[in-house]
Amino acid sequence: MEHLDAIVIGMGPGGETVADRLLTAGRRVALVERDLVGGECAYWACVPTKTLLRTPEVRAEADGAAGVGDAALDWPALRAYRDQMIRHLDDSGQVDGYEERGALVLRGDARIVGRDPWRVAVGDAEYTADHVVVATGSGVLVPPIGGLEDLGPDVLWTNREATTLTEIPGSALVVGGSAVGVEIGQFLARMGTRVTVVQRGPRLLDREEPRLCELVSDQFDRDGVSVRLNSEVVSVTGDGDGVLAELTGGDRVRADVMVLATGRVPRGDQLGLAELGVELDRSALPVDDRCRVAPGLWAVGDVTARSMFTHVAKYQGRVVSANILGGNRVADYTGVPRVVFAQPEIAAVGLTSAQARDRGIDTATSETDLPSVLARPWTMETDPRGTLGLVADRGRGVLVGAWAFGPQAAEWIHTAALAVRMELPVAALRDAIPQFPTFNEGYLIALEALDL
C-alpha cells in the first residue's frame, strides 16, 4: 500500500490550489478526480458562463457607444470559442501536466476507509497519507417538483446542459432567481430565447440589498424576461419536445427547456466519513478556522458550505496548503465579494443594511447614481446607468457593506471589499485619490454622503 504526503480528493479550483502548492514544495501528492481535472468551474460553470455572456454583453455595449454600427451575434463562432475555453471537455493536458510534476493522478470515486493514518480507496487500490484534503464540491439542488424525474436532459437542464448547449432554444423556463438564474436567463434572452424566470421569493437575488434587486428586475424588463415572483413550479409534464409547468396559483408555462437554478448542495456525504466517526453538517464538512475537519483531514470549497464561490475555494486552498506545510494560517471570510456577471454587472460585499441592523450596528447608508456625478459612465455609453450603495458602522466609522450595479462592477467592488476586510476608516477612504475618469471615483461621492 503506497503512502503519500497528501491525497487531494476533487480537482476543482480549491483542490488544484492545494495540489499545486504542495507539489511546488516537493511533497508526494495523489490527486483523485472522478470527472474532469479542473472541476465544475472550468467546464460547466464560471468559465463557460462568463465566456457565453461576454458576446451579448459586447453587443449591448456597442449599441450604447457613440459611433458604432450594429454588432451581429454569431452563435456558431461563440459556441466554437466556448468549446475551446472548456478544452472540448478534455482534461488530458491537465493530467499530463500534473504527472510531469510527479503527482499520482487517480481516476474514479474515492472513499475514505480508515484513519490513523488516513486511508483512501479508489477502485480496487488503497493508499495512505499523512493528510487528506476533501475538495469534492457541490451538486445541483433538485427541488421537489412532481414529474421532474420523467424529463430527460434534452428538456431538463442544470448548469451543465445550459453551459454546454449546442442550439439556442426558442423558449426557456428558468427555476430560481439566484446568480445562476440571472446570468443564464439574461444570456438566453439576449440570444433570442423567450425566457420566464420563476422565483419563489419576493425578488431576484433576494439575499442582496432590495434596491439592488430592483435594478436587476428593471434590467430584466429591458431584456424582455418575464419574472414570476413569489411563485413556484408545482409539477411538470412533457409537452411534445418541451415541458409544461404548473405554477402555484394554477398558472401554466410552456417552454422548450427548463433550467434548474435552484442552488447547490455540498457533496461531503459520499466519502464514508460518517462511518469513521467524522460528524457532518447534513452533507457539508464542518471545518475549523484553519479549514481542518479532524487532525490530518482538511476540506476546501463548496463541500465546506462556507461562501460557496470559486474564489473562496482557492482562498481556502491557500490556507490549507500553508498549514500542511507547517504554518498556522487562519481563514477569515470577512469582505468576500459576490458578483453576478450580467450586464450591467452586479456586485456586493459584506452586509446588507438589514443584516447590519440585525447585528445591532448603528448604520449609515448612502446611494449614488453614478452617471449624475461621474464622467466615466458617459465616456462609455450615451445612455449610461450605474449605482453604488454603501453601508457603514456609524460607531466605528468603517464600511461594513457595499453594492454596485454598473459596467465592470466586478472589478471596482474590490475597493469596498478591501475596505471592509481591513476595516479601513471612512476618513482615510475619503482622503484617497482615485484615477480620473473611473467608476472608482464614485466611492468618494458615496463616502461623503454617509452621515457619520
Side-chain angles (χ1 to χ4, degrees):
M1 187 181 301
E2 184 171 0
H3 183 80
L4 301 113
D5 294 316
I7 299 174
V8 181
I9 305 174
M11 284 299 288
E16 285 203 288
T17 299
V18 176
D20 174 71
R21 294 187 173 222
L22 295 184
L23 288 168
T24 299
R27 298 301 193 266
R28 177 63 171 152
V29 182
L31 320 176
V32 186
E33 177 55 57
R34 69 179 185 181
D35 215 327
L36 295 175
V37 172
E40 197 82 12
C41 177
Y43 298 97
W44 301 286
C46 312
V47 171
T49 301
K50 281 49 175 179
T51 301
L52 292 170
L53 285 164
R54 179 57 181 155
T55 295
E57 177 185 63
V58 168
R59 182 181 184 180
E61 289 175 346
D63 289 343
V68 180
D70 182 51
L73 296 175
D74 185 341
W75 168 238
L78 172 56
R79 181 177 58 200
Y81 186 63
R82 183 273 318 272
D83 291 344
Q84 175 184 329
M85 288 296 293
I86 62 173
R87 306 162 184 152
H88 300 277
L89 300 181
D90 178 6
D91 67 349
S92 56
Q94 283 61 46
V95 172
D96 290 345
Y98 279 117
E99 289 180 339
E100 289 171 3
R101 297 177 65 188
L104 175 64
V105 180
L106 306 172
R107 292 288 196 182
D109 291 306
R111 284 189 65 80
I112 301 176
V113 295
R115 58 190 301 177
D116 303 321
W118 293 101
R119 194 165 80 252
V120 177
V122 183
D124 297 328
E126 291 188 7
Y127 308 84
T128 59
D130 297 328
H131 300 276
V132 170
V133 182
V134 179
T136 49
S138 61
V140 174
L141 172 63
V142 179
I145 297 173
L148 207 60
E149 65 280 359
D150 297 326
L151 301 180
D154 55 332
V155 174
L156 181 62
W157 289 3
T158 65
N159 63 288
R160 290 198 169 197
E161 290 78 18
T163 56
T164 56
L165 80 171
T166 56
E167 300 297 334
I168 302 297
S171 56
L173 172 61
V174 179
V175 184
S178 63
V180 173
V182 170
E183 290 181 352
I184 291 176
Q186 188 183 63
F187 165 73
L188 290 174
R190 291 189 170 187
M191 295 300 293
T193 302
R194 186 175 69 257
V195 177
T196 300
V197 176
V198 176
Q199 166 72 333
R200 69 177 183 178
R203 56 187 182 270
L204 300 171
L205 303 177
D206 55 6
R207 295 182 181 180
E208 300 297 347
E209 197 73 46
R211 176 64 180 134
L212 179 57
C213 302
E214 290 177 11
L215 295 169
V216 177
S217 294
D218 175 69
Q219 181 59 52
F220 264 24
D221 287 341
R222 294 168 181 244
D223 289 324
V225 177
S226 173
V227 179
R228 307 287 186 92
L229 299 175
N230 296 307
S231 183
E232 296 184 66
V233 178
V234 177
S235 63
V236 293
T237 55
D239 183 44
D241 293 331
V243 60
L244 181 64
E246 182 173 343
L247 311 184
T248 49
D251 289 348
R252 293 186 174 187
V253 176
R254 197 268 173 201
D256 295 329
V257 297
M258 178 174 168
V259 184
L260 295 182
T262 44
R264 309 282 298 181
V265 179
R267 286 196 292 239
D269 56 351
Q270 303 174 12
L271 299 168
L273 285 169
E275 290 88 335
L276 298 177
V278 176
E279 189 173 332
L280 278 65
D281 181 3
R282 289 177 288 185
S283 62
L285 292 183
V287 293
D288 64 14
D289 59 4
R290 300 174 72 235
C291 297
R292 183 176 55 186
V293 182
L297 180 65
W298 313 80
V300 301
D302 285 6
V303 73
T304 70
R306 296 280 187 96
S307 296
M308 294 165 69
F309 303 114
T310 295
H311 44 295
V312 171
K314 295 171 73 172
Y315 169 68
Q316 291 176 319
R318 298 194 297 273
V319 170
V320 166
S321 56
N323 289 331
I324 289 176
L325 293 172
N328 186 26
R329 188 167 174 181
V330 172
D332 177 3
Y333 303 99
T334 304
V336 174
R338 309 179 295 275
V339 176
V340 182
F341 287 85
Q343 199 271 334
E345 289 181 350
I346 304 154
V349 66
L351 305 176
T352 66
S353 55
Q355 290 168 340
R357 288 192 296 270
D358 288 344
R359 296 190 182 192
I361 297 173
D362 181 13
T363 61
T365 63
S366 67
E367 178 181 325
T368 302
D369 178 69
L370 300 178
S372 67
V373 295
L374 300 182
R376 183 54 175 155
W378 294 97
T379 66
M380 290 190 68
E381 301 177 82
T382 57
D383 184 22
R385 286 177 301 143
T387 309
L388 172 63
L390 300 179
V391 182
D393 181 331
R394 185 178 277 111
R396 293 189 297 143
V398 298
L399 292 182
V400 294
W403 56 270
F405 178 82
Q408 302 172 6
E411 306 296 334
W412 45 273
I413 194 63
H414 286 85
T415 293
L418 182 62
V420 170
R421 186 171 181 82
M422 303 307 296
E423 298 185 341
L424 300 177
V426 168
L429 294 170
R430 285 172 173 168
D431 195 44
I433 309 173
Q435 171 69 40
F436 174 88
T438 61
F439 283 96
N440 221 55
E441 283 188 289
Y443 283 104
L444 286 182
I445 310 299
L447 288 162
E448 290 171 357
L450 287 171
D451 179 21
L452 293 181

